[in-house]
Amino acid sequence: MRAGSSPQGTVSLPQGNGAAAESAASAGNPAGRPGTGGCPVTVRECSEEYLLYLASVRGLSANTVTGYRTDLGHLALTVGADTALASLSTEDLRSCVAALSRRKYSVTSINRFIAAVRGLFAYCRKFQYIQGNAALELKTLRAPRRLPVFMTQQEVDTLCSQPVRRGLLWPARDRAIFELLYSSGCREGELASLRLQDSADGWQSAVVTGKGRKDRRIYFSDDARRALSVYLEERGRRFPEGMPGGGSPVDALFVNQKGLPLSAHGIWYIVSRYSGAEGTQRPVSPHAFRHTFATALLSGGADIRAVQELLGHSSISTTQRYTHITTERLKEVYRQAFPHSGKKD
């Protein structure tokens, strides 16, 4: 299940007022439950406050908070949105996990639900909304280890050439998007958030805000800067009088064909068009560029701490999974090339 998608029948939890939560948090109320003077009691009330906390205090991205909202909505649907959170037992929570399993949710999606429930209970226990924590005994499922999907250099070159060869959408823009994704290793959401004024050095680099509202600098290759220059020149000709939208210019680096800011989902759609049946016929997501960027750096001998910084990972363990890819590639080279490796002719 993609983050942000709402399964059929899920209870829709309210969208919180992040500004109200942040101001109330500074005044002593941990997440600023708006409009009430008492503590939250029900699953709905506790979830609402926890989501406000995640967005305004912890600074999680909108997509991440949406994922939490979807998972906690499933909890509300299964046990009842107006049920007191303190009344739930570990068995109640396990029944929610079982319901997801019956609906054929993946292990990853189920474990994400468990993490959301654990976080909710831990938050409510910390602020003494509940006396016990029924989620402590909720165990995650064992998931098969999957290596990140990455592309070879030839596959990257082929995909980057597709916009000009196919001309499906806006070739100059789409080529620039691909080149920037590959050379910087940034997330699609980070790329979508870039503004025209975010670079002061001719787009050799830019500062993006990643997960947890942490800023980091990303860098662009010569190919990426050339592709970006072609796109920006073409964009200037296409929208000479400023962008639509109330007459005020749009400062987003990438725009759609109406001149409005291109969203992260829009970038995902562009990549899917060119990597699907109309293009390379090897479907990938924008994140595959990020995986390929990391794999190329580590294969080239880059220090893992430097790669961690470039990717914006908070934990080195997240970056270390890319070392498994390079190890597997070395093993394959050995099996193919070494005469006594056991390879059969």
Side-chain angles (χ1 to χ4, degrees):
M1 182 177 61
R2 288 176 55 83
S5 62
S6 296
Q8 184 177 3
T10 297
V11 171
S12 178
L13 294 171
Q15 301 276 347
N17 184 341
E22 193 165 9
S23 62
S26 63
N29 187 351
R33 188 163 176 264
T36 67
C39 295
V41 175
T42 67
V43 171
R44 187 194 306 274
E45 292 169 344
C46 292
S47 297
E48 178 184 353
E49 181 171 307
Y50 180 53
L51 292 169
L52 285 170
Y53 166 78
L54 294 178
S56 59
V57 179
R58 286 193 54 191
L60 300 187
S61 71
N63 284 342
T64 301
V65 174
T66 298
Y68 273 93
R69 178 175 287 107
T70 299
D71 293 326
L72 295 179
H74 173 74
L75 174 67
L77 175 70
T78 306
V79 303
D82 296 323
T83 300
L85 189 74
S87 70
L88 296 181
S89 66
T90 303
E91 289 305 314
D92 292 327
L93 301 180
R94 286 173 178 160
S95 70
C96 295
V97 173
L100 289 175
S101 181
R102 287 194 298 270
R103 294 169 66 178
K104 307 300 183 183
Y105 277 54
S106 68
V107 171
T108 301
S109 295
I110 293 175
N111 283 342
R112 192 189 73 174
F113 167 77
I114 292 173
V117 172
R118 281 178 173 176
L120 172 65
F121 273 80
Y123 171 86
C124 291
R125 181 69 186 91
K126 177 179 179 180
F127 293 107
Q128 300 181 357
Y129 299 157
I130 56 178
Q131 296 305 308
N133 188 341
L136 286 177
E137 298 301 319
L138 201 59
K139 306 298 184 184
T140 55
L141 306 182
R142 184 178 180 87
R145 191 183 73 177
R146 293 181 180 178
L147 296 180
V149 175
F150 70 99
M151 296 177 280
T152 65
Q153 185 61 56
Q154 182 178 356
E155 288 172 332
V156 171
D157 293 341
T158 300
L159 183 53
C160 287
S161 70
Q162 293 301 299
V164 175
R165 293 182 59 192
R166 305 294 179 181
L168 298 177
L169 302 167
W170 184 350
R173 178 202 61 188
D174 303 340
R175 173 68 184 264
I177 287 173
F178 293 173
E179 293 286 1
L180 264 64
L181 283 172
Y182 176 55
S183 69
S184 68
C186 67
R187 303 174 179 92
E188 61 264 37
E190 295 167 348
L191 188 67
S193 68
L194 280 177
R195 300 171 299 169
L196 292 169
Q197 63 267 34
D198 281 344
S199 177
D201 56 2
W203 289 103
Q204 295 185 52
S205 66
V207 175
V208 296
T209 302
K211 292 184 175 180
R213 296 182 182 175
K214 294 180 181 179
D215 291 342
R216 77 177 190 282
R217 185 168 293 277
I218 58 176
Y219 300 89
F220 304 118
S221 66
D222 291 342
D223 287 342
R225 292 200 300 275
R226 281 192 290 268
L228 184 60
S229 177
V230 171
Y231 155 66
L232 290 176
E233 183 178 346
E234 188 171 308
R235 169 182 164 166
R237 292 195 303 267
R238 184 176 291 202
F239 305 107
E241 301 299 329
M243 302 301 154
S248 59
V250 171
D251 63 357
L253 177 61
F254 288 106
V255 297
N256 60 27
Q257 299 197 51
K258 295 181 180 179
L260 299 175
L262 185 66
S263 66
H265 181 75
I267 293 175
W268 177 87
Y269 173 75
I270 290 167
V271 173
S272 69
R273 283 290 299 273
Y274 288 107
S275 65
E278 300 170 279
T280 62
Q281 298 184 13
R282 194 219 167 187
V284 295
S285 71
H287 226 63
F289 285 98
R290 181 171 165 86
H291 296 326
T292 305
F293 168 81
T295 303
L297 288 178
L298 289 172
S299 297
D303 180 76
I304 192 170
R305 291 288 181 182
V307 177
Q308 177 191 7
E309 184 71 20
L310 289 169
L311 292 173
H313 288 158
S314 59
S315 171
I316 191 68
S317 62
T318 307
T319 314
Q320 285 174 333
R321 61 182 178 158
Y322 294 106
T323 63
H324 297 302
I325 298 177
T326 55
T327 299
E328 290 301 318
R329 295 179 81 182
L330 288 173
K331 288 181 179 177
E332 182 61 27
V333 169
Y334 175 81
R335 285 193 292 265
Q336 292 294 325
F338 195 67
H340 300 290
S341 65
K343 174 189 171 186
K344 297 182 179 179
D345 295 329

